[in-house]
Amino acid sequence: MEIKATPLLGRAPAANGAFPIAVQLESRQGNYQGILRVSVGRFGSRREYLYPIDLPAGSRKVVVATPIVGRYGDLAVIRFEARGVGVETRLPIERVLDVDQLAVVVGDAIGGLQVLKQVRGVRNPFMLDFHTNRPMQGVYEVAYCTPELFPEQAIALSGAQLIVLTSGAERLRAEQWAALRLWVLMGGTLVASGGAGAVYLQAPALRDLLPVQPQGTREVAQLTALGNWLGMRPPTGSATITQATLTAGKVLLQQDAQPLIAVRPYGLGAVVFLAFNPLERPMNAYDARVRFWQRVVNATAAYAPSFNIAALHANQSGYTVDRWSGQAKMTIDADIDPPSVMLIVALLGAYFMLVVPINYWTLKRLRALDWAWLTTPLIALVFVGVLWQLAGGLYRKSLSSKVQTVLIAQAGSPDAYAVNSALFFFPRAGVFDLQFDQSDMVEAGVADERGAGFGQTTVVRTLEGDPKRVDGYRVSNLSFQWFRYTRTVQLRGQIEGSLRLTRRNGEWRLSGTVRNRLPYELREARVLTPYGSVNIRSLEGRGTQTLRNKPLIPAPPFSAYGHSGWEPVVALSPDQLAQLMLEERKDAPCALLIARASEPVLPPELGEATERAAEVVYIVNLPLEGDAP
């Protein structure tokens, strides 16, 4: 047996993002049926992913594992176990990116974008520079990936904030293009460069994402407009550019009525079109490359999907961290009312006082100490009865769950990416099997990495495949257990819209239409823009709302006050995440519809009947035009 492991996107994954690994197994002799174990993490937060493998003699198989890396996960252990064989290899993780961002170049290039190591990424308002008391901004760690090794799962890309396509990306397969689209939907920024070798611009999956329609190439004597945009002299020499017509989004820079840089907001992410190749002449010798990439990042970049997913999951988890004490607090919204800790302590104190000093003193005064064998158990029975009256109802409750879902979608698209959590209340101890259909990522029993919260286990194990499974999950009496998972979901329709911003007498106003093509109502609907919001209240199933010069309600500045900067995950509600993203995207504005609905409910399957509550929130990116700069 031989085992080899290759990291696909470098050795520096982002915190709470995937660390994709291509594991090659080769059997030179013997037929093996076994388990491939991939584990990451330490400090009591170890995660283990199991892959069943059939390996006939003389065969070779490649498994792409996508373990999720915590803030302190610094080693990946890969081990194959079968009857009579056990082989292992280890991959050290150089560092886990926290403030810095991950950029991935896809194509045949093996260099050329190290300049991104000098480019400031998006600011992190939850981590302050102690010297300036301002949000920290990291730089980019750059990884290069050939099309043949590019992952086919969207969750595998979750740690990347920026992906740049170059020559050779035309060899990407349909599954890889689909993963790229979902990654953009979750918050990634995709840069598609043009020029002489940009054959991949003709890929149907990419053309549906681009802000432009490519129309061949031509030579220009100089990129004059680029120099003006940067406030520098232009690159020296001619350039091959891809001619294009704007179809969606916004042109950031044009020359001779041809878009040089265009951007299209998509979901929580963005797609950027560059008419020229930044890795070829004249750009590869341009002395203002750092300033160029900084302008592009400032106009389009938002937060990596790993940040967005982890922030939403933390908000769904059922606990928050007190901003003063730093301790975890339960925020469980469930119809379960256990006795307070103080009441239990008071009852136990009363019991010990009654059973020892009072009971002894009374019997001694009556000269009846021999009766202690009778009075002591009677007192105990009385207190057991009192406790049963207070807490017995919890044991009689049925197993219950609350499923929370945030659906991230693009206007006009019939599918969405779902960020889900399921919080279970188990009244009785037992061992359970759970099944997660069509899920990209499943994290079982993961709570606060410092040990606070609930639902923690020593090792978290998931059986990978479709569906993903958690087998033999052991729970104790009266326990809460939390599972988080992500998946793609096909909707029974779509949400469409066309909006326009205008500014009159210093006041922003919004006009346009929002159409709900779904067969159910969207409640508490709001349209958020970088300049404020409009309340729609309700969108009936198959209904339309028309907005006519609605004044925007200004949004208060986003505040991260009280966050210590040491928390492994920041909890954000869908509204807070949307506001944070819009504040970072004012150069390429978009509108986000946020609404609540009763469908779709996406619970894990459990082999026992449960009482179920559900909460579904939609975040939908709507096209936005108008006077915004």
Side-chain angles (χ1 to χ4, degrees):
M1 275 292 303
E2 184 178 1
I3 183 171
K4 295 180 180 178
T6 305
L8 298 182
L9 304 181
R11 292 178 181 263
N16 307 303
F19 181 44
I21 306 168
V23 182
Q24 179 179 291
L25 297 166
E26 183 176 0
S27 172
R28 295 174 179 172
Q29 300 178 21
N31 302 314
Y32 298 109
Q33 289 184 325
I35 293 289
L36 175 67
R37 298 177 181 269
V38 179
S39 61
V40 294
R42 293 180 177 178
F43 307 111
S45 60
R46 186 160 146 249
R47 299 168 168 101
E48 195 169 272
Y49 304 82
L50 311 180
Y51 300 83
I53 300 291
D54 289 336
L55 199 64
S59 67
R60 178 186 300 170
K61 287 189 176 181
V62 176
V63 176
V64 176
T66 57
I68 304 299
V69 177
R71 196 171 185 175
Y72 309 109
D74 57 358
L75 183 69
V77 180
I78 301 102
R79 180 175 178 81
F80 178 73
E81 296 175 345
R83 187 173 182 179
V85 67
V87 291
E88 180 179 294
T89 186
R90 299 184 172 215
L91 277 179
I93 298 173
E94 291 179 356
R95 63 191 179 104
V96 176
L97 303 179
D98 204 339
V99 177
D100 292 343
Q101 304 281 343
L102 176 62
V104 179
V105 182
V106 182
D108 295 327
I110 56 173
L113 274 186
Q114 298 304 103
V115 65
L116 287 174
K117 289 181 174 288
Q118 304 173 54
V119 174
R120 291 284 180 183
V122 64
R123 68 187 180 95
N124 188 334
F126 307 101
M127 301 193 71
L128 300 182
D129 187 322
F130 294 113
H131 298 290
T132 64
N133 202 33
R134 294 181 177 178
M136 296 179 68
Q137 282 184 280
V139 294
Y140 283 93
E141 179 77 18
V142 183
Y144 297 87
C145 186
T146 63
E148 289 74 20
L149 293 178
F150 193 70
E152 297 181 357
Q153 305 91 359
I155 198 65
L157 308 174
S158 60
Q161 192 273 326
L162 185 70
I163 292 181
V164 181
L165 300 179
T166 62
S167 299
E170 64 273 7
R171 300 197 301 275
L172 289 172
R173 300 180 296 277
E175 296 82 3
Q176 296 166 316
W177 285 117
L180 260 178
R181 184 181 72 85
L182 292 174
W183 168 80
V184 175
L185 193 71
M186 291 187 287
T189 301
L190 177 65
V191 177
S193 53
V199 182
Y200 55 85
L201 292 178
Q202 304 303 321
L206 180 60
R207 289 175 72 100
D208 292 341
L209 290 178
L210 287 173
V212 299
Q213 181 177 350
Q215 297 171 331
T217 61
R218 71 180 178 94
E219 290 284 325
V220 294
Q222 196 172 42
L223 294 173
T224 308
L226 184 61
N228 296 335
W229 191 55
L230 299 176
M232 303 282 289
R233 63 175 181 82
T236 302
S238 62
T240 301
I241 67 168
T242 296
Q243 299 183 102
T245 302
L246 185 72
T247 56
K250 179 180 179 180
V251 173
L252 297 182
L253 179 65
Q254 63 180 355
Q255 179 171 312
D256 300 329
Q258 288 292 320
L260 289 186
I261 305 175
V263 58
R264 178 193 183 187
Y266 191 90
L268 296 182
V271 182
V272 181
F273 166 75
L274 303 179
F276 48 88
N277 192 328
L279 301 182
E280 296 179 353
R281 295 190 64 85
M283 287 299 295
N284 61 355
Y286 191 28
D287 55 9
R289 286 179 299 157
V290 174
R291 181 173 292 194
F292 161 72
W293 280 107
Q294 192 68 68
R295 286 292 304 268
V296 172
V297 166
N298 290 346
T300 62
Y303 296 93
S306 58
F307 176 92
N308 298 334
I309 293 172
L312 292 172
H313 273 150
N315 182 68
Q316 297 170 343
S317 66
Y319 74 90
T320 60
V321 176
D322 184 85
R323 67 184 186 184
W324 304 114
S325 66
Q327 298 300 310
K329 298 190 305 182
M330 297 290 186
T331 59
I332 299 167
D333 180 18
D335 185 21
I336 297 167
D337 187 20
S340 68
V341 174
M342 291 303 298
L343 178 59
I344 298 296
V345 170
L347 285 172
L348 289 175
Y351 169 73
F352 284 112
M353 286 293 294
L354 186 60
V355 80
V356 181
I358 296 176
N359 184 40
Y360 175 78
W361 181 82
T362 302
L363 293 178
K364 184 177 180 181
R365 189 179 179 94
L366 296 174
R367 298 181 180 180
L369 287 176
D370 292 343
W371 287 21
W373 65 270
L374 178 62
T375 58
T376 300
L378 285 176
I379 293 171
L381 285 174
V382 169
F383 274 87
V384 168
V386 172
L387 287 174
W388 179 256
Q389 287 297 317
L390 291 173
L394 294 177
Y395 290 92
R396 292 190 294 270
K397 278 186 172 291
S398 59
L399 192 154
S400 58
S401 68
K402 180 177 181 181
V403 180
Q404 299 177 82
T405 297
V406 176
L407 288 171
I408 304 169
Q410 175 67 21
S413 177
D415 63 356
Y417 200 79
V419 179
N420 309 279
S421 286
L423 178 63
F424 285 92
F425 171 69
F426 291 91
R428 294 169 299 280
V431 178
F432 297 87
D433 296 335
L434 297 98
Q435 179 173 299
F436 298 80
D437 293 333
Q438 302 177 31
S439 294
D440 281 352
M441 178 265 279
V442 173
E443 292 287 299
V446 177
D448 185 6
E449 290 187 8
R450 298 173 308 169
F454 50 83
Q456 54 267 29
T457 56
T458 303
V459 180
V460 174
R461 290 187 178 93
T462 53
L463 189 63
E464 301 297 301
D466 190 13
K468 287 182 169 56
R469 303 203 315 270
V470 177
D471 291 342
Y473 191 79
R474 187 177 297 276
V475 301
S476 57
N477 286 323
L478 304 182
S479 66
F480 290 97
Q481 303 292 328
W482 176 47
F483 300 85
R484 60 182 185 177
Y485 48 105
T486 63
R487 56 169 292 180
T488 308
V489 57
Q490 295 296 318
L491 303 175
R492 292 195 289 153
Q494 60 270 345
I495 299 168
E496 301 170 351
S498 178
L499 301 171
R500 183 174 184 83
L501 269 177
T502 55
R503 188 174 174 87
R504 297 291 182 268
N505 300 322
E507 184 179 52
W508 289 103
R509 292 179 175 271
L510 190 66
S511 301
T513 58
V514 180
R515 303 177 186 86
N516 178 17
R517 305 294 192 191
L518 300 168
Y520 43 84
E521 177 190 16
L522 297 177
R523 307 183 307 274
E524 303 174 39
R526 292 197 304 146
V527 176
L528 279 64
T529 77
Y531 307 98
S533 63
V534 170
N535 291 325
I536 297 180
R537 296 181 182 173
S538 175
L539 273 168
E540 297 294 333
R542 313 292 188 191
T544 300
Q545 278 272 13
T546 300
L547 307 177
R548 294 186 176 89
N549 285 319
K550 289 281 188 180
L552 296 181
I553 303 169
F558 184 87
S559 174
Y561 178 73
H563 187 77
S564 67
W566 295 101
E567 305 305 328
V569 178
V570 176
L572 294 177
S573 68
D575 297 69
Q576 290 173 320
L577 180 62
Q579 182 185 350
L580 181 61
M581 195 211 79
L582 290 171
E583 286 191 4
E584 294 295 333
R585 192 70 71 74
K586 288 191 176 181
D587 287 340
C590 66
L592 294 176
L593 173 74
I594 295 185
R596 284 161 173 76
S598 57
E599 299 182 45
V601 180
L602 306 169
E605 292 187 16
L606 187 64
E608 184 173 329
T610 63
E611 294 180 2
R612 183 179 300 150
E615 178 182 287
V616 184
V617 180
Y618 284 72
I619 304 178
V620 185
N621 189 313
L622 301 174
L624 182 64
E625 301 176 351
D627 300 338

